[in-house]
Amino acid sequence: MSTDWSDLHRQSERLAADAQACAGKRADEAAELYRRAAEAEEAALEGIGAEKVRTRGIIGVSAAALRLKSGDLDGAEKVARRLLDESALPAFATAELKEILQDVQGLRSQPASRRGAKIFEVLVTSKQRYQVAAATRGAAEELAMQQWARGAHAEESELVAVTTVEAERPPRQRN
Amino acid sequence: MNSHVGLRIDGLDERHPGLTAAVAATYYEAACVCLDRHHRPPTSFRLESDEDVSDLLVEWAVSDERSRMAWANDVDRTECGASAVAIAAAETALGMVAVRRAETRSGADYYLMPAGQEADDLETAFRLEISGIDSGPVRAVYQRVRQKVEQVLRGTSNLPAVVGVTGFGCARIVLQAVEALE
């Protein structure tokens, strides 16, 4: 029986959803589920024709992100670099994969005990800045936006932009 | 303006092939806790979708203490709750259903197709950009929509896309389609 990319992707979706559901409670189990989801996603990617540029970009980013979430930094880097070598990769996928590679580098330079939480400074309005701890830049922005929306200044200040910097740089990696 | 059509946030997996039963149940539970923080069921939410404005009655099961404790984290609760509402709103206002889920660095994206339309790839699917605000004025919802649209137009996102922002406290949902060339 042949298995097309769609079936493999469905399998990956289910495993990733299960991993997300137990991520906060059983980290080891979540990592294993993310690893299996990544394997299914990579197999799905193999079944998508080169002419389906956007679909390959979406599933490729998903495969690399799943490797990252499983804690397999080498695997995430391998998938991302392989895809970045593809000339027809759409712009959104290129940008996402480069960010995944940055995450890989950042995580490699942290002690294992600190992986998963970084300090970000998020500029929410021209005057309001929040320092928050989060696993990712996106999560930090959400947290800061929540804090801003709850605050007393939400009515009177204009949310103009969100600029996020990692406030606490990890130590430089030793080669 | 349409008045008091319902917005079904329960049983999303029965209508959206991109959601498993477990994920749909998780999103629904989070949405119930988000809604309980500000309202009592049923409550009318205003849905703005491009030029169309509807007042939709939202019904939900009042959450118990255990659910409230389980969803004590503001970010996770609002993100998951907003996912239930945005996916339901896309179904009601646009006739689109979530067909696929794909992972990103910071979470997962859903891809929308018109209900009943079959496709064996994601070449024409719309990415649903979801965001939620627990409490805050309607203006904060519009500002979040602007921010999300700008993110999409900066070209680092998947296009075409639909931005869906839910303000739980102010009972407002805004859906905005974003079409641009990469």
Side-chain angles (χ1 to χ4, degrees):
Chain A
M1 187 179 73
S2 69
T3 306
D4 67 7
W5 83 268
S6 180
D7 294 333
L8 290 161
H9 176 64
R10 282 268 179 259
Q11 192 182 331
S12 176
E13 280 178 353
R14 282 193 295 271
L15 289 163
D18 290 347
Q20 184 187 10
C22 69
K25 295 161 257 178
R26 301 182 299 278
D28 289 349
E29 188 182 340
E32 173 60 15
L33 288 165
Y34 275 129
R35 187 191 63 74
R36 288 169 54 200
E39 284 179 356
E41 201 75 310
E42 286 165 28
L45 185 63
E46 295 302 316
I48 302 169
E51 75 284 2
K52 296 186 187 296
V53 172
R54 186 163 182 262
T55 308
R56 279 189 67 79
I58 293 165
I59 301 302
V61 167
S62 183
L66 285 164
R67 284 285 176 199
L68 188 66
K69 289 174 184 180
S70 77
D72 178 3
L73 303 184
D74 291 344
E77 181 174 18
K78 189 176 163 189
V79 173
R81 290 204 186 283
R82 200 192 105 202
L83 282 160
L84 285 168
D85 286 342
E86 288 189 13
S87 56
L89 202 65
F92 74 81
T94 301
E96 283 261 339
L97 291 167
K98 285 181 176 171
E99 287 181 346
I100 286 173
L101 285 177
Q102 285 175 7
D103 286 351
V104 167
Q105 294 306 322
L107 287 167
R108 274 195 182 130
S109 60
Q110 288 181 27
S113 59
R114 284 187 52 215
R115 286 179 191 169
K118 299 179 220 170
I119 307 297
F120 291 92
E121 262 193 6
V122 186
L123 183 66
V124 176
T125 72
S126 57
K127 292 178 184 166
Q128 287 166 287
R129 187 183 299 272
Y130 295 87
Q131 197 170 76
V132 293
T136 65
R137 186 178 297 256
E141 289 179 359
E142 286 292 328
L143 197 58
M145 299 284 277
Q146 292 284 340
Q147 289 183 15
W148 171 78
R150 277 202 304 270
H153 304 293
E155 285 281 5
E156 59 195 59
S157 60
E158 184 75 9
L159 189 153
V160 290
V162 175
T163 309
T164 307
V165 294
E166 204 175 314
E168 188 178 309
R169 294 273 174 211
R172 188 179 291 277
Q173 188 175 12
R174 273 182 286 181
N175 293 317
Chain B
M1 186 193 346
N2 296 323
S3 285
H4 297 116
V5 181
L7 181 73
R8 282 199 59 199
I9 60 172
D10 64 325
L12 289 172
D13 56 300
E14 295 162 15
R15 309 184 299 280
H16 297 263
L19 272 78
T20 63
V23 168
T26 299
Y27 289 171
Y28 175 66
E29 188 179 73
C32 291
V33 178
C34 290
L35 290 161
D36 281 338
R37 288 168 57 80
H38 307 282
H39 312 286
R40 287 291 166 264
T43 290
S44 180
F45 268 58
R46 176 153 292 184
L47 169 60
E48 299 177 16
S49 174
D50 293 324
E51 300 298 309
D52 295 330
V53 179
S54 312
D55 285 330
L56 306 173
L57 263 189
V58 183
E59 298 210 44
W60 68 95
V62 174
S63 45
D64 57 17
E65 181 65 17
R66 187 172 175 173
S67 296
R68 286 193 293 275
M69 292 296 284
W71 289 102
N73 181 296
D74 289 357
V75 175
D76 292 349
R77 180 184 65 236
T78 308
E79 185 182 311
C80 288
S83 296
V85 175
I87 289 168
E91 177 187 3
T92 301
L94 308 174
M96 299 182 104
V97 294
V99 292
R100 297 281 179 182
R101 166 192 164 120
E103 299 297 307
T104 63
R105 289 164 62 233
S106 55
D109 285 336
Y110 285 95
Y111 288 85
L112 302 173
M113 296 279 281
Q117 187 172 315
E118 298 274 328
D120 63 357
D121 57 43
L122 298 171
E123 299 300 297
T124 57
F126 280 70
R127 186 168 84 137
L128 181 57
E129 274 276 349
I130 297 169
S131 189
I133 296 172
D134 175 37
S135 46
V138 171
R139 198 162 65 124
V141 175
Y142 294 139
Q143 286 170 337
R144 183 73 66 89
V145 170
R146 274 210 308 276
Q147 181 206 355
K148 287 284 176 186
V149 168
E150 282 166 13
Q151 277 178 13
V152 171
L153 291 174
R154 275 204 295 268
T156 57
S157 195
N158 305 333
L159 293 171
V162 173
V163 169
V165 179
T166 302
F168 285 102
C170 59
R172 187 67 56 106
I173 309 159
V174 177
L175 286 181
Q176 188 164 332
V178 186
E179 287 266 18
L181 295 174
E182 283 190 57

